[in-house]
Amino acid sequence: MTRRLRVGVVYGGRSGEHEVSLRSAATVISAFDSARYEVVPIAITKDGRWLTGPESLRLLEEAQRTLAPVPEHGVEVMLPPVPSGGGLVPAAGGVAGSALDVVFPVLHGTYGEDGTIQGLLELAGVPYVGAGVLASAAGMDKAVMKAVFRDAGIEVAPWIVARPETEPVQEVRARVDAAFGFPCFVKPCNLGSSVGISKVKSADALGAALAEAAAYDPRVIVEQAIAAREFECGVLGNEQAEASVVGELVPSHEFYDYVDKYVEDGARIVIPAQLPAEIAETIRALALRAFHAVDGSGLARVDFFVERGTDRVLVNEINTMPGFTRASQYPRLWEASGVPLPALVERLVALALERHAARGRRRLSFKPPGPVSAAPRSSQGGR
């Protein structure tokens, strides 16, 4: 009998998107075929401790229904940052448990989607689902992301970066006025799920919006508000990635905020989007360009604006670990593209193993091709 693959599903975390992660993880776990996969639930509390135990799944189900944080339970564990087979070690000391074959970090936001846990998994030598350190960090930081897209020739909304803790509101206001004016959006550079985001219609409201965003991240991005329809496209794959059908997001609020996403669930997602074929193909092609621009792998959801009146297509952002709740667009986009959720999570695990194997074939040391000359170094040789 073939051994089941051990998949460590990590959820929760130290982010403002902790509760959203619980809902995503519950959906992902439910999609795995228990005959082929052994799911090892690993909950990260809001203070950063890793917990696992036989009651983890039951408590996850309860917590994600109420949007409560991860409760205290089970055993506190750690993943050693050395190649040791992927075994979780009890924090109180002891022998590592059975090795994890692959990790699915269903974490959104800081300390999960930003390259931090990806770096730990790289050090531990464990295959993992999704983007690597670079793509995760670039995809999380909205200012860096926009700069990468701009340099790749991908059009984005004009923006500035501010540091409200050290830059007076009047100076930020003057830069906004000079760059694009009002209305504008104010967002934390490093966060997602519309947490900390405000639409600012006049200069008088800028200070409060900057303070709200700066509560989550010292760097704040202010970008021009585009009068546009909003669209989304899923990406799946590594080097030979594919784009899903395009979906349109129709918010029930003025913009797609946290309450609209996860509390009231009032937004409509139209899949496939009602768009001219050439615009839909432009979006799908740009989704792949954006994915490769940040060196993406595994999965991503790319969000777009199509400007009203001009049909100009702009990339809004890339999400390297998009939501997996029952209402989330990413799994729905792929279901409409012929890949239902169970097949999707299976494909993501296979892509993680494929990427890990490819990285394992890299050279990590250099051996000169011939005998080393004993001649003295030139003073200009450098290192």
Side-chain angles (χ1 to χ4, degrees), residues 41-117:
I42 305 165
I44 301 181
T45 64
K46 284 202 167 184
D47 61 1
R49 292 174 301 120
W50 293 32
L51 307 176
T52 189
E55 68 271 48
S56 294
L57 291 178
R58 177 181 62 80
L59 292 174
L60 171 63
E61 187 62 32
E62 292 177 4
Q64 61 92 23
R65 282 200 304 269
T66 60
L67 284 185
V70 168
E72 191 70 33
H73 71 280
V75 178
E76 185 176 344
V77 295
M78 300 182 295
L79 180 66
V82 293
S84 55
L88 297 171
V89 177
V95 180
S98 300
L100 300 172
D101 295 305
V102 63
V103 169
F104 198 140
V106 192
L107 296 165
H108 307 308
T110 45
Y111 301 111
E113 196 181 348
D114 58 356
T116 49
I117 194 170

Side-chain angles (χ1 to χ4, degrees), residues 302-352:
V302 186
D303 301 344
F304 294 86
F305 297 130
V306 176
E307 190 173 41
R308 297 184 187 277
T310 68
D311 285 342
R312 182 172 58 130
V313 179
L314 298 88
V315 171
N316 179 20
E317 63 181 21
I318 187 169
N319 294 270
T320 55
M321 185 53 69
F324 269 89
T325 72
R326 290 180 175 85
S328 294
Q329 298 92 298
Y330 185 80
R332 293 174 64 183
L333 287 167
W334 280 107
E335 185 170 19
S337 303
V339 185
L341 185 60
L344 181 60
V345 297
E346 185 173 327
R347 177 83 179 277
L348 289 170
V349 166
L351 288 166

Side-chain angles (χ1 to χ4, degrees), residues 114-373:
D114 58 356
T116 49
I117 194 170
Q118 289 78 13
L120 171 62
L121 294 167
E122 291 283 356
L123 291 172
V126 180
Y128 59 93
V129 170
V133 175
L134 173 65
S136 297
M140 192 72 230
D141 189 302
K142 294 178 175 64
V144 171
M145 176 203 311
K146 282 177 171 285
V148 170
F149 290 159
R150 176 196 61 202
D151 292 349
I154 298 171
E155 191 169 6
V156 296
W159 82 96
I160 64 166
V161 177
R163 290 184 175 270
E165 292 180 357
T166 58
E167 186 177 7
V169 174
Q170 294 85 349
E171 291 184 11
V172 180
R173 174 180 173 176
R175 291 203 290 135
V176 170
D177 281 332
F180 40 76
F182 297 88
C184 61
F185 281 96
V186 176
K187 310 175 182 180
C189 272
N190 279 280
L191 206 58
S193 290
S194 298
V195 175
I197 294 181
S198 305
K199 184 174 183 180
V200 179
K201 298 180 180 179
S202 67
D204 294 341
L206 183 61
L210 290 170
E212 172 66 12
Y216 296 96
D217 189 67
R219 292 169 61 248
V220 170
I221 188 168
V222 185
E223 63 185 22
Q224 182 180 20
I226 305 294
R229 295 165 67 188
E230 297 184 45
F231 297 90
E232 299 179 337
C233 184
V235 179
L236 179 64
N238 291 330
E239 293 300 322
Q240 303 298 321
E242 304 171 68
S244 73
V245 299
V246 178
E248 181 173 11
L249 171 65
V250 185
S252 65
H253 291 192
E254 187 170 7
F255 69 96
Y256 195 35
D257 61 10
Y258 186 95
V259 173
D260 204 9
K261 286 181 180 180
Y262 302 115
V263 180
E264 295 178 356
D265 196 20
R268 290 190 300 114
I269 310 296
V270 181
I271 304 174
Q274 302 304 302
L275 272 174
E278 62 272 18
I279 296 180
E281 284 307 307
T282 296
I283 288 173
R284 295 178 75 244
L286 279 173
L288 294 174
R289 283 181 59 192
F291 181 77
H292 291 303
V294 299
D295 193 30
S297 55
L299 74 161
R301 193 194 73 233
V302 186
D303 301 344
F304 294 86
F305 297 130
V306 176
E307 190 173 41
R308 297 184 187 277
T310 68
D311 285 342
R312 182 172 58 130
V313 179
L314 298 88
V315 171
N316 179 20
E317 63 181 21
I318 187 169
N319 294 270
T320 55
M321 185 53 69
F324 269 89
T325 72
R326 290 180 175 85
S328 294
Q329 298 92 298
Y330 185 80
R332 293 174 64 183
L333 287 167
W334 280 107
E335 185 170 19
S337 303
V339 185
L341 185 60
L344 181 60
V345 297
E346 185 173 327
R347 177 83 179 277
L348 289 170
V349 166
L351 288 166
L353 295 173
E354 172 191 289
R355 177 174 174 270
H356 183 74
R359 289 173 71 85
R361 292 191 291 270
R362 294 180 306 170
R363 292 184 182 179
L364 297 179
S365 60
F366 173 71
K367 181 181 292 186
V372 179
S373 170

